[in-house]
Amino acid sequence: MSQTVPSQIIHLPKGFSFSAVTAGVKASGRPDLSLIEAAPGTTAAALFTKNRVVAAPVEVGREALAKSRGLIRAVVINSGNANCATGKPGIKACQRICREAAKLLGVRPEQIFPSSTGIIGVPLLADKIVAKLADLISARASTEQGVAQLARAIMTTDTRPKVASAQFRAGKSTISLTGVAKGSGMIHPQLATMLVYILTDVSATPVELKRLLRESCDVSFNCMSVDGDTSTNDTVLLMASGKSGASLKTPKIRDQFSAALQQVCQSLADQIVADGEGVQHIIHLHIEQAKTRDEALRVARAIAHSLLVKTAWAGADPNWGRILSAAGSCGLPLNANHIDIYIGRQRVCGNGMGFPFDEVQAHRDLSQAHCDIRVKLRRGNASVVFQTTDLTAEYVRINADYST
Amino acid sequence: MSQTVPSQIIHLPKGFSFSAVTAGVKASGRPDLSLIEAAPGTTAAALFTKNRVVAAPVEVGREALAKSRGLIRAVVINSGNANCATGKPGIKACQRICREAAKLLGVRPEQIFPSSTGIIGVPLLADKIVAKLADLISARASTEQGVAQLARAIMTTDTRPKVASAQFRAGKSTISLTGVAKGSGMIHPQLATMLVYILTDVSATPVELKRLLRESCDVSFNCMSVDGDTSTNDTVLLMASGKSGASLKTPKIRDQFSAALQQVCQSLADQIVADGEGVQHIIHLHIEQAKTRDEALRVARAIAHSLLVKTAWAGADPNWGRILSAAGSCGLPLNANHIDIYIGRQRVCGNGMGFPFDEVQAHRDLSQAHCDIRVKLRRGNASVVFQTTDLTAEYVRINADYST
């Protein structure tokens, strides 16, 4: 395997083109309507939010994948309005956009995959979007600039665009992957206002794509939390054009692809957490010696979801008692006397008790942009690495008046 | 029934005396050691935190109730140090304090009920406390001033003492109840750094007390949340001296007592939420038309625990989409299209969609100290009223450097 390191260099997968325009959904006048067009025969698979309140595009997109048997020809994304809690009119607006885009592209409506992100509960004015579809489609190009424009146009409270790319060779073929993502607040396991599109030119069936996507998501997007809220619109879409000539049928290529996909997902997850609303510090939470990975995840989420823990991190305060207490409230029959906690390289809690440590050093470790915190449960051999963030007054400020 | 309204007037139950002194556990030099002494024959029952990480006094207190068969003669409370995550030395420190207090009071060690609140993970210096026990005991008095001192001495980040009292007549007897509480942050259902002591002069068995206490807690302390963190030290203790001459054996008295107890608990719960860290607005969350009360509670907690909802409330932002989304993530198979949401008296969401409403009025309603929010699920007839708060930048400031 060679060159699978994700980077800001965009390795354009063959068979895709991109564009973005301003349709006036965002009040700011910034680009808010974007397109990914895919070559005939492109296969696709997606994972969606587990929230019971789902946005219209999630319903319509799920149906599109089913009806088209995973043969998607274009993704139409608007930002500025989530088209959620908009009832039947929301579904109709979404379907109309898909229908009009399909007509202009000469494909079937179920081959259009819709996405929306933004405010919940405000009717989406389809007219504005439909009026710009012709411009959007005629602007499309298979260029790095097109990818960069797309990554910007899907942003809401994000402060920067998020792109990750990987490439590897298999025999005479070069396989490329490029992912773009948006997400900043409402970030929690099980996907949360997070839109991710990953494009590749490998050849694969929708079923293969779904399996690999789930594996990669489990260790990347599902192992992070900014604020614990689960969005109504989360979507991770993987599309494969097959234009590289290489196929996942070859086991070696499948392994290489799987590794590259995981790296792209991890890079995008890192970028999303780093852009978390008001985030000062990123915490890599290592939960070790759990009985099962699920158990480790449960402890990680309890810690990552505790306001008292997150605010202590905001102050770079090595208050390990709050970490211990949060772990204790996760619902598992943990034995506090078996728990060790490390901040950076220092053990700060041993057997559930304070352990002498250099507080100045711990404060310094927690003041860095990244800090490792390790919690050992002494119950088994399973572990998880979970990314989370501090909670700052800035987060509150950003979210205290979003809609008004 | 007469005069059961809880009030700041303290109706002293017969058979109890109170005191508070400074032992030097709190760095501030404020009173941090307090005592409730109870007459011989006093019965007691308690509810504790469900956190798996429990403080030494919770372990020792639970054992004391078991060994003494609910015959408690005194409560010794220190604030400033939770004596949690302090291992065996913490247990020993707690036992030593109980032993010394028992000796001075001429009772058995298991008749002393210990409590601690404050920072986690710092060894509790029993010497400081033991040295002050004689002063503490000699200062005790059966006065309203004693109750007020107790209520102050158990405070940590609380900004005001919390007392509630009720009284009713039954035949020739007058039965009094007085409760004191502390709690400000880490407040969540299942009790959270919350210490509550409720004293009465009715006559009751520990089993009767436990049953009534659980009933009253379920609709008061277990129906509120400030920050969703569950403490390691939570305790609600109910003690009955029997000195009024009236007994819970009489059904009518039991009913009157139950109502009075519920009112005292509710008043203390109200006071705790009102004193929540950084709280600007208190939200009374009415979850209605659930299938069961548990289901209603689950929806209430999901909403009360959402950072996006709580920060919107901080901005008095009628962003009902976040409420809907938080409800949707609670894990129940809710149908979004059946959900109605009201802010104040206005319907803002009908059948899961936006409903035209006066935004200025909604903003005004949410700007009040108290606001009612109603969520109807159209699934059944169960409901719950849940108290919660907004999340402000001030909360973050308070908690970002508590230990350092």
Side-chain angles (χ1 to χ4, degrees):
Chain A
M1 200 192 310
S2 56
Q3 280 178 270
T4 56
V5 180
S7 69
Q8 290 304 96
I9 298 165
I10 298 173
H11 302 288
L12 265 190
K14 297 184 198 84
F16 297 94
S17 56
F18 312 88
S19 59
V21 298
T22 295
V25 181
K26 281 182 185 167
S28 65
R30 295 214 183 91
D32 50 15
L33 180 62
S34 39
L35 173 79
I36 304 170
E37 193 208 12
T42 295
T43 52
L47 299 174
F48 297 100
T49 179
K50 293 207 172 139
N51 199 313
R52 295 292 303 195
V53 175
V54 300
V58 169
E59 285 192 45
V60 175
R62 199 177 264 143
E63 208 179 278
L65 279 169
K67 271 179 89 175
S68 73
R69 294 166 189 267
L71 294 172
I72 295 296
R73 290 296 308 283
V75 187
V76 176
I77 312 151
N78 77 271
S79 54
N81 186 320
N83 194 10
C84 178
T86 45
K88 279 235 175 74
I91 297 279
K92 283 193 175 155
C94 184
Q95 286 168 334
R96 186 177 150 216
I97 293 163
C98 291
R99 222 166 36 234
E100 297 294 331
K103 212 183 292 173
L104 291 166
L105 287 163
V107 302
R108 278 173 289 123
E110 65 264 28
Q111 293 187 296
I112 307 293
F113 185 94
S115 274
S116 298
T117 176
I119 191 162
I120 297 176
V122 174
L124 178 68
L125 302 175
D127 284 345
K128 283 188 180 180
I129 291 175
V130 168
K132 288 289 175 180
L133 285 175
D135 288 357
L136 182 70
I137 288 167
S138 68
R140 72 196 190 274
S142 298
T143 59
E144 293 175 24
Q145 206 198 346
V147 174
Q149 282 171 353
L150 168 75
R152 284 207 166 272
I154 62 176
M155 287 164 54
T156 56
T157 55
D158 306 61
T159 66
R160 42 188 184 269
K162 297 163 187 76
V163 181
S165 203
Q167 193 171 67
F168 65 94
R169 287 192 58 79
K172 285 184 186 158
S173 306
T174 300
I175 295 111
S176 302
L177 293 86
T178 288
V180 296
K182 70 98 18 189
S184 178
M186 247 195 180
I187 298 300
H188 196 55
Q190 312 308 349
L191 317 178
T193 302
M194 189 179 81
L195 298 178
V196 178
Y197 310 97
I198 304 167
L199 315 166
T200 179
D201 45 18
V202 82
S203 171
T205 66
V207 172
E208 287 170 328
L209 292 181
K210 181 82 167 253
R211 191 175 59 75
L212 291 173
L213 186 59
R214 195 181 296 281
E215 281 173 16
S216 287
C217 280
D218 273 351
V219 294
S220 55
F221 303 117
N222 283 339
C223 279
M224 66 183 190
S225 173
V226 172
D227 54 13
D229 275 288
T230 303
S231 154
T232 49
N233 290 51
D234 295 332
T235 303
V236 181
L237 178 71
L238 173 60
M239 296 173 83
S241 71
K243 294 286 179 196
S244 67
S247 164
L248 291 193
K249 299 258 174 294
T250 313
K252 197 187 159 203
I253 294 179
R254 192 175 57 234
D255 291 348
Q256 286 181 299
F257 179 79
S258 171
L261 178 63
Q262 202 164 309
Q263 288 180 49
V264 167
C265 285
Q266 191 59 56
S267 170
L268 291 174
D270 291 350
Q271 292 176 55
I272 287 172
V273 172
D275 198 19
E277 288 167 355
V279 166
Q280 288 173 336
H281 310 120
I282 294 170
I283 305 293
H284 292 269
L285 205 49
H286 304 253
I287 310 298
E288 300 176 351
Q289 302 177 347
K291 276 192 180 159
T292 62
R293 187 170 180 278
D294 272 357
E295 191 176 285
L297 262 177
R298 194 154 158 187
V299 173
R301 286 174 187 168
I303 295 170
H305 205 159
S306 160
L307 285 185
L308 286 171
V309 169
K310 291 171 95 70
T311 50
W313 288 339
D317 177 353
N319 192 327
W320 56 268
R322 291 184 182 176
I323 298 173
L324 185 69
S325 173
S329 69
C330 78
L332 291 169
L334 302 181
N335 183 336
N337 298 330
H338 289 175
I339 297 177
D340 292 351
I341 300 174
Y342 295 73
I343 294 176
R345 289 182 185 178
Q346 291 190 87
R347 174 149 62 161
V348 297
C349 166
N351 299 324
M353 287 170 61
F355 197 85
F357 68 100
D358 179 345
E359 293 202 20
V360 174
Q361 179 61 44
H363 180 75
R364 206 179 297 139
D365 287 341
L366 279 166
S367 301
Q368 306 301 311
H370 290 77
C371 180
D372 286 299
I373 292 182
R374 209 169 291 275
V375 179
K376 296 189 178 179
L377 304 173
R378 213 193 298 162
R379 285 168 64 81
N381 297 312
S383 66
V384 76
V385 184
F386 195 93
Q387 280 198 78
T388 185
T389 65
D390 57 353
L391 177 77
T392 65
E394 179 67 5
Y395 174 92
V396 177
R397 200 194 56 71
I398 292 170
N399 284 293
D401 33 34
Y402 179 68
S403 78
T404 50
Chain B
M1 199 191 310
S2 55
Q3 279 179 272
T4 56
V5 179
S7 70
Q8 290 304 96
I9 297 165
I10 298 173
H11 301 288
L12 265 190
K14 297 184 197 86
F16 297 95
S17 56
F18 311 89
S19 60
V21 297
T22 296
V25 181
K26 280 182 186 167
S28 65
R30 294 215 182 91
D32 49 15
L33 180 63
S34 39
L35 173 78
I36 303 169
E37 194 209 10
T42 295
T43 52
L47 299 175
F48 297 99
T49 179
K50 292 209 172 138
N51 198 314
R52 295 293 301 194
V53 175
V54 299
V58 170
E59 285 191 44
V60 175
R62 198 178 264 142
E63 210 179 277
L65 280 170
K67 271 178 88 173
S68 72
R69 294 165 188 267
L71 294 173
I72 295 295
R73 290 295 308 282
V75 187
V76 176
I77 312 150
N78 77 273
S79 54
N81 185 320
N83 194 10
C84 179
T86 45
K88 280 234 176 73
I91 297 280
K92 283 192 176 157
C94 184
Q95 286 169 333
R96 188 176 148 216
I97 292 162
C98 291
R99 220 165 38 232
E100 296 293 332
K103 212 184 290 174
L104 291 167
L105 287 164
V107 301
R108 279 174 288 124
E110 65 265 27
Q111 293 186 296
I112 308 293
F113 186 93
S115 273
S116 298
T117 177
I119 192 163
I120 297 176
V122 174
L124 178 69
L125 302 175
D127 285 346
K128 283 189 181 180
I129 291 174
V130 167
K132 289 288 174 182
L133 285 175
D135 288 357
L136 182 70
I137 290 168
S138 68
R140 72 196 190 275
S142 299
T143 59
E144 292 176 23
Q145 206 199 345
V147 173
Q149 283 172 352
L150 168 75
R152 284 207 166 270
I154 62 177
M155 287 164 57
T156 56
T157 55
D158 305 61
T159 66
R160 41 188 184 270
K162 296 162 188 76
V163 182
S165 204
Q167 194 172 66
F168 65 94
R169 288 193 57 81
K172 285 184 187 161
S173 305
T174 300
I175 295 112
S176 302
L177 293 86
T178 287
V180 295
K182 68 99 19 190
S184 178
M186 244 193 182
I187 298 299
H188 196 54
Q190 313 307 351
L191 317 180
T193 301
M194 191 179 81
L195 298 177
V196 179
Y197 310 98
I198 303 167
L199 315 167
T200 179
D201 45 19
V202 83
S203 172
T205 65
V207 172
E208 287 170 327
L209 293 181
K210 183 83 166 254
R211 191 175 60 74
L212 291 173
L213 185 59
R214 197 182 296 281
E215 282 174 14
S216 287
C217 279
D218 273 351
V219 294
S220 56
F221 304 115
N222 284 339
C223 279
M224 66 182 189
S225 173
V226 171
D227 54 13
D229 274 288
T230 303
S231 153
T232 51
N233 291 51
D234 295 332
T235 302
V236 180
L237 178 70
L238 173 60
M239 296 173 83
S241 70
K243 295 285 179 198
S244 67
S247 165
L248 292 194
K249 300 258 173 293
T250 313
K252 195 187 160 201
I253 294 179
R254 191 176 58 234
D255 291 349
Q256 287 181 298
F257 179 80
S258 170
L261 179 63
Q262 202 164 310
Q263 288 180 50
V264 167
C265 286
Q266 191 58 55
S267 171
L268 292 174
D270 291 350
Q271 292 177 54
I272 288 172
V273 172
D275 198 20
E277 288 167 355
V279 166
Q280 288 173 336
H281 309 119
I282 295 170
I283 305 293
H284 293 268
L285 204 50
H286 304 253
I287 310 298
E288 300 176 350
Q289 302 177 347
K291 275 192 182 159
T292 62
R293 188 169 179 278
D294 273 357
E295 192 177 283
L297 262 177
R298 194 153 158 187
V299 173
R301 286 174 187 168
I303 295 170
H305 205 159
S306 159
L307 286 185
L308 286 170
V309 169
K310 291 172 94 70
T311 50
W313 288 339
D317 178 354
N319 191 328
W320 57 267
R322 291 184 181 176
I323 297 173
L324 185 69
S325 173
S329 70
C330 78
L332 292 169
L334 302 181
N335 183 337
N337 298 330
H338 290 176
I339 297 178
D340 291 352
I341 301 175
Y342 294 74
I343 294 176
R345 289 183 185 178
Q346 291 189 87
R347 174 149 62 162
V348 297
C349 166
N351 299 324
M353 288 170 60
F355 197 85
F357 67 99
D358 179 345
E359 294 202 19
V360 174
Q361 180 61 44
H363 181 75
R364 205 179 297 141
D365 288 340
L366 279 165
S367 301
Q368 305 302 311
H370 290 76
C371 181
D372 286 299
I373 292 183
R374 209 169 292 274
V375 179
K376 296 189 178 180
L377 304 173
R378 215 195 298 163
R379 285 167 65 80
N381 296 312
S383 66
V384 76
V385 184
F386 195 93
Q387 278 198 78
T388 186
T389 65
D390 57 354
L391 177 76
T392 65
E394 179 67 6
Y395 175 91
V396 177
R397 200 195 55 71
I398 291 171
N399 284 293
D401 33 33
Y402 179 66
S403 78
T404 50

